[in-house]
Amino acid sequence: MLSRIAESLYWIGRYAERAEGTARILDVHVHGMLQDPWVDQEEACRSLLKVMGVTTDATQVSTLQVVSLLGLEQASPSSVVGALAAARENARGARETISTEMWECLNATWLGLPAARIRIEQQGMHAFFGWVRERCSLLNGLTEATMSRDDGWLFLMLGRSIERADMTARLLSTHADAGGSIQSWLSLLRSCGAWETFLRTYRGALTDRHAAEFLLLDRLFPRSAFAALSAAESCLDELEQATGPRAGVATDAHRIIGRARTDLEFRGVDELLSNLSSVLSTVERACSRANTAITGRYFRATAAVTWAVA
Amino acid sequence: MNQGWRMRITHRTWFQYDGKAATSYNEARMSPRSEGRQSVLDARVEIQPAAWLYKYEDYWGSVVTAFDLQEAHESLTVVASALVETMPSAPVTPDGPSWNDLENEDRWHEYLLPTPRTALDEELTALALEIKGAHDGPQAAALAACELVQSEVEYQPGSTGVQTDAVHAWRQRSGVCQDISHLVVGLLRGMGTPAKYVSGYMHPHPDGPVGEDVAGQSHAWVEWWSGTGWTGYDPTNGAPIQPRHVAVGRGREYGDVPPLKGVYSGPPSANQGVEVRITRLR
Amino acid sequence: MADLFEDYRLGPGWDEMFAEPAVPRPSYETLYATLQALSSADLGLRSEVLQRAFLDQGITFALKGVERPFPLDIVPRVITAAEWAHVEAGVAQRIQALEMFLADVYGPATVLSDGIVPRRVVVTSAHFHREAAGINPANGVRIHVAGVDLIRDEQGAFRVLEDNVRTPSGVSYVIENRRAISHVLPEVLASTRIRPVDSYPAQLLAALRAAAPAGVSDPTVVVLTPGVHNSAYFEHTLLAREMGVELVEGRDLLCAANEVSMRTTAGEKRVDVIYRRIDDDFLDPVHFRADSMIGVAGLLNAARCGKVTIANAVGNGVADDKLLYTYVPDLIRYYLAQEPILPNVTAYRLEDNPDVLEYALGRMDSLVFKPVDGSGGAGIVIGSRASEEVLEKLRARITVDPRGWIAQEEVALSMVPTLIGNRLRGRHVDLRPFAVNDGVAVKVLPGGLTRVALPEGELVVNSSQGGGSKDTWVLAEATDPSEPSPQHPRGAAIPQPRKPDPGPGTGEVVAQQQQQQQQTVGEAPC
């Protein structure tokens, strides 16, 4: 498949997942601010911005500002609105490859963004974040239902999985930064949509150990860091299947992701918990390095050339 | 006695880049063809670094050697060499058909149109019409135009560049063979005489010593249609075409027959040069 | 309720629906009956659904950098089978003649030496690309796709307004308009036999494959687009998608040693046929604009060498120059020894002789002046609508550059009812049928793009001038053997379909399944 198209699909996967993940994180954050009258708003907001990799020069940070920076900032591909627009822009350049339904979904979402702002004013943030989750779920469903399981699919899944691992790591960082209370585990699990599954798995016992194990290592829950990294790994494996090497793995990206995955897998929960921050930043770094490796391996030379007259 | 010459011509062009050029696409128009007064025994183009060559004949009848380089390279050298036998042309006299024979000549319309380098300004247009009015036929008027340009415009290497147009050269009253030819072509078209720009090579000495390797040059001259045939003339030297001239390409102007043109991606070229060596063999 | 047609006026120009007030022509009877039964609110609602669908699907064109939908009017235009047969034959004839003309001017040029077309017309054309001389397309086709703009004059006769043989656009709207209209006017579609238009991508692909370089048995075809910012980008994606081929940008292609390939995740893959939607000037920086960042360096020589086919061919613009247009009837006689089936609009060549120029400048207020190199309706001056000042300026420009202009008699274009506000009003239309040449025959897509000028009385119907479009219905012959209806062959037994499996707790079948399950459980492990 065309390198340029592969790149677009990869980024559709990443941006859509980012929009959803960020919306989930913000929803929980806003909810937490409202629920807990004793929380230090300023501190919590700063911590969230830091974890999401956004810098601000404002001396005072309010929840409203956080939502506007991470949720509504059009120019930033890290915000919910920006990521949705970027996903649509990538889809626009790959329109003949994705199904009409996927394109219509992304395009209609993009067209709906202005109306979504009005929704915030009328119905509050929660309605907006709900809408974003719904649109992303719709996209995922349409992708699932209409896309052939060819290389294009693999690139899209690869992007989604890498972003998901990154998002989960960031989400856990907010917990570590907030001092790791039980209350914050609760909201964390909620924001992943994992609360009920978690309760069923551990029969209601919410402890640090269980929560960390679930979000980092669970094999069956798709948003755990382990599951997301494994999914990315299997995409990378399938991409090279035709020419797979006899020893080891074929690509740097695969090596990076594989190491990050085993690093989680073969450490005990206690060890992970005692060193949570550094574990999480290792996962984040692995995602970013894998991104570079994937770009170098599959998306090279897709920039236009400027010609000089000899 | 055989008045013809045999010459070996080596035309070397090089570019040295300020770093590495990634890719490069080029066309060389450096190979003479056998025609009326010249026959080509051998003509070849060689490229360094090595490249796959593709030859074709373009709209104007020039032999084009196209090539592209896909590997990063720091320099590019093009060497065109040719072995050519030439004959003198018939003497050029002011006699010939009258202006009436040029009328309604749709066949050569392309050679009547101004091009970027041959377009005239008001002054030159008036001059062309004045020359036309003063002569009975296109042949006499053409010779007068050549004479005028030769006497007014000083041959001065380095005074112009490949992009210079006729008007500019006229205003500064100096130029090289290319400018003088553009000026003459422009004036001829201005008086309704179809005219071509000819690019080629010239041995520097009218009676070149046999066996001596000398520095030659790329050269340019003109041809015009006088109603019955094309007449070649070298306005820079004020003389008809001689055995020391070797024609390579004909067109409306320089832009139709550039020796080397192309595009590349990479840093600007820090150093470039051209060298023509000619040896008269016979 | 007849309120939709309240105060509907006929003319100026041929009204395609009505021969006289409130009496529709036979071809429009079904449509008229349906529309009459609708209230303006009903129609307005359906029209809104229509516009919304276009916006959601991103069926847009970019005007001055803003993406906007190409307004689709809800009232279709109907063309009878007999009228269409005439148009089809006329368009095919014209394309054949232009094909032969292009092969001639980029080759032996006998048409010039025989004096049919003066050489000056060709050599002064901005689109006569000498770089294309010597490129001989594999199956002889240069005009793989053409769009011929037609109008109907005051008597209802079709006339050719201009030819488009470079990269004519608009066919995607033909396909999408039909899809959209079938959703909002299902009742009329159901009761009318309309020839389908969705076979176009398959036809185009067949023609492109037929144009592949010699010796390539299974050619790789791509669509080359300037990118997402091009006004016709939507069309490029639609065609690539429906043909099942890659949509590439210049940066995806690579030309080495005259072979063209595309960069894929699995290395480079050879490309044989390029359906390009990039103008000649930007196609190859080696021969044309060196500052082009959307082209492919080396492409032209790859085509010259016969390793790749560029469709449409480079240099076709010399055949749709508006000055050459005036010679097309002569070309048809010269190459095909036939009389033109579709006449031109009466036109004057201003550079021919001073008398014609004087004549045309003497009656500027009744003529239409067109720049010969313009496209998309840009620069057209309609004498009767222009101010004295504009005409004076134009007169000065034409006097200096008579080669740059042609004059045409003003024709009151035919009209079709169009939803304006909440009433139907007559608006001027033109028609661009699309033809595909596969080297064996020129096939004309039954339908074509009808463009409608939305402002009252407006005669320029171009989309870049803020026009809209209509779905164009070509009625099928009562018995048209060429398009069999999709019925099962007689006699073939169709198995009785089974009911879908029900879920648990819905009765008899379920009990059986449970039984089976128990049985399975009950079996002894072996």
Side-chain angles (χ1 to χ4, degrees), chain B residues 59-60 110 252, chain C residues 106 122-125 128-133:
Chain B
Y59 177 83
W60 306 104
E110 204 153 24
R252 293 165 299 180
Chain C
Y106 287 114
V122 170
V123 301
T124 56
S125 166
F128 177 53
H129 288 312
R130 293 158 179 88
E131 294 83 352

Side-chain angles (χ1 to χ4, degrees), chain B residues 12-258:
Chain B
R12 195 183 158 79
T13 311
W14 69 89
F15 297 89
Q16 185 76 43
Y17 303 107
D18 227 357
K20 280 190 187 291
T23 53
S24 165
Y25 295 83
N26 303 277
E27 290 195 339
R29 287 170 169 79
M30 299 175 170
S31 306
R33 299 174 38 157
S34 292
E35 54 180 62
R37 48 162 290 280
Q38 69 186 29
S39 55
V40 177
L41 307 179
D42 181 39
R44 62 184 63 189
V45 175
E46 283 155 299
I47 314 294
Q48 187 63 37
W52 189 81
L53 304 181
Y54 169 59
K55 264 186 204 219
Y56 73 93
E57 186 186 317
D58 73 6
Y59 177 83
W60 306 104
S62 305
V63 178
V64 183
T65 307
F67 59 93
D68 58 72
L69 299 168
Q70 302 295 331
E71 301 290 320
H73 52 286
E74 281 171 0
S75 64
L76 166 65
T77 308
V78 180
V79 180
S81 49
L83 187 62
V84 187
E85 287 188 350
T86 55
M87 298 289 289
S89 60
V92 180
T93 63
D95 313 320
S98 72
W99 289 111
N100 291 338
D101 294 315
L102 279 187
E103 271 177 23
N104 298 322
E105 190 68 272
D106 185 58
R107 193 168 25 149
W108 307 119
H109 192 83
E110 204 153 24
Y111 297 108
L112 283 171
L113 300 168
T115 64
R117 292 186 184 79
T118 64
L120 304 181
D121 62 0
E122 274 176 36
E123 180 197 351
L124 283 164
T125 309
L127 196 58
L129 293 176
E130 189 184 314
I131 299 171
K132 179 179 185 177
H135 296 85
D136 294 337
Q139 192 77 2
L143 284 172
C146 289
E147 207 170 299
L148 174 83
V149 171
Q150 196 199 2
S151 65
E152 287 285 322
V153 180
E154 191 190 348
Y155 176 77
Q156 201 179 343
S159 61
T160 54
V162 291
Q163 302 298 342
T164 306
D165 61 36
V167 171
H168 181 85
W170 176 253
R171 289 191 182 149
Q172 69 176 28
R173 291 298 195 278
S174 67
V176 296
C177 56
Q178 177 184 323
D179 309 298
I180 291 170
S181 300
H182 279 148
L183 251 174
V184 171
V185 165
L187 287 170
L188 290 170
R189 292 180 189 163
M191 51 181 101
T193 303
K196 292 179 187 174
Y197 174 95
V198 188
S199 79
Y201 302 105
M202 187 181 70
H203 193 288
H205 308 294
D207 316 300
V210 173
E212 199 175 310
D213 176 30
V214 298
Q217 52 188 278
S218 287
H219 194 50
W221 57 93
V222 305
E223 286 180 3
W224 63 78
W225 180 257
S226 54
T228 50
W230 290 94
T231 304
Y233 198 82
D234 182 348
T236 311
N237 292 301
I241 304 311
Q242 300 161 349
R244 62 178 175 142
H245 289 86
V246 174
V248 172
R250 292 174 174 76
R252 293 165 299 180
E253 58 143 58
Y254 173 83
D256 291 336
V257 290

Side-chain angles (χ1 to χ4, degrees), chain C residues 48-225:
Chain C
E48 251 171 54
V49 171
L50 200 60
Q51 309 306 341
R52 185 74 222 169
F54 263 40
L55 202 59
D56 278 354
Q57 290 169 42
I59 303 175
T60 56
F61 69 100
L63 186 59
K64 294 173 187 121
V66 182
E67 266 182 78
R68 57 182 75 199
F70 190 26
L72 168 59
D73 183 63
I74 193 162
V75 184
R77 174 201 209 167
V78 183
I79 297 174
T80 66
E83 285 169 342
W84 185 255
H86 184 72
V87 166
E88 204 171 11
V91 167
Q93 179 194 49
R94 218 168 155 96
I95 299 310
Q96 262 157 5
L98 292 177
E99 275 283 7
M100 294 174 81
F101 170 72
L102 283 170
D104 197 5
V105 286
Y106 287 114
T110 53
V111 69
L112 308 183
S113 47
D114 286 349
I116 306 301
V117 175
R119 188 175 299 263
R120 78 187 131 74
V121 170
V122 170
V123 301
T124 56
S125 166
H127 301 292
F128 177 53
H129 288 312
R130 293 158 179 88
E131 294 83 352
I135 300 182
N136 298 309
N139 63 343
V141 175
R142 285 181 172 78
I143 309 173
H144 305 82
V145 180
V148 177
D149 289 351
L150 306 177
I151 56 161
R152 298 183 79 168
D153 64 16
E154 292 85 343
Q155 284 73 47
F158 282 99
R159 286 173 179 270
V160 179
L161 198 60
E162 62 182 65
D163 306 290
N164 297 279
V165 297
R166 280 174 274 168
T167 52
S169 67
V171 75
S172 56
Y173 299 115
V174 177
I175 298 170
E176 290 294 346
N177 285 359
R178 178 64 50 82
R179 284 181 193 158
I181 289 289
S182 66
H183 291 150
V184 296
L185 287 179
E187 61 270 58
V188 199
L189 249 98
S191 55
T192 317
R193 282 174 57 86
I194 303 162
R195 295 182 60 186
V197 293
D198 51 9
S199 62
Y200 179 83
Q203 252 177 35
L204 176 59
L205 182 61
L208 292 171
R209 289 176 63 97
V216 181
S217 55
D218 185 16
T220 301
V221 177
V222 298
V223 178
L224 175 60
T225 174

Side-chain angles (χ1 to χ4, degrees), chain C residues 271-284:
Chain C
V271 169
D272 306 296
V273 181
I274 300 176
Y275 178 51
R276 51 86 180 224
R277 298 294 297 260
I278 293 182
D279 289 346
D280 288 353
D281 284 344
F282 293 92
L283 197 56
D284 182 349

Side-chain angles (χ1 to χ4, degrees), chain A residues 2-3 300-305 307, chain B residues 22-25 68-71 265, chain C residues 222 224 248-264 267-272 274 283-286 294-303 307-308:
Chain A
L2 280 181
S3 298
R300 31 193 177 108
T302 52
V305 175
W307 296 103
Chain B
T23 53
S24 165
Y25 295 83
D68 58 72
L69 299 168
Q70 302 295 331
E71 301 290 320
S265 65
Chain C
V222 298
L224 175 60
V248 302
E249 295 180 16
R251 57 190 160 129
D252 297 325
L253 295 182
L254 167 76
C255 199
N258 286 353
E259 297 222 359
V260 183
S261 42
M262 54 183 163
R263 300 178 216 264
T264 74
E268 282 149 18
K269 180 165 190 279
R270 162 111 187 231
V271 169
D272 306 296
I274 300 176
L283 197 56
D284 182 349
V286 177
I294 55 174
V296 185
L299 194 55
L300 218 55
N301 283 347
K307 296 280 187 68
V308 73

Side-chain angles (χ1 to χ4, degrees), chain A residues 4-81:
Chain A
R4 178 175 54 81
I5 298 292
E7 186 167 21
S8 291
L9 289 169
Y10 172 80
W11 282 103
I12 293 171
R14 288 205 68 161
Y15 281 128
E17 184 66 23
R18 185 175 299 173
E20 184 182 345
T22 310
R24 284 177 181 279
I25 292 173
L26 281 173
D27 199 12
V28 168
H29 174 83
V30 171
H31 190 71
M33 293 297 113
L34 295 176
Q35 291 256 311
D36 188 349
W38 295 282
V39 76
D40 179 350
Q41 229 194 67
E42 175 82 21
E43 187 54 39
C45 289
R46 280 199 185 279
S47 146
L48 180 57
L49 286 179
K50 194 185 108 208
V51 163
M52 300 306 287
V54 174
T55 51
T56 174
D57 349 306
T59 48
Q60 279 221 306
V61 198
S62 67
T63 296
L64 215 58
Q65 271 169 300
V66 169
V67 169
S68 126
L69 278 169
L70 294 176
L72 306 175
E73 177 63 44
Q74 268 167 319
S76 154
S78 304
S79 81
V80 174
V81 166

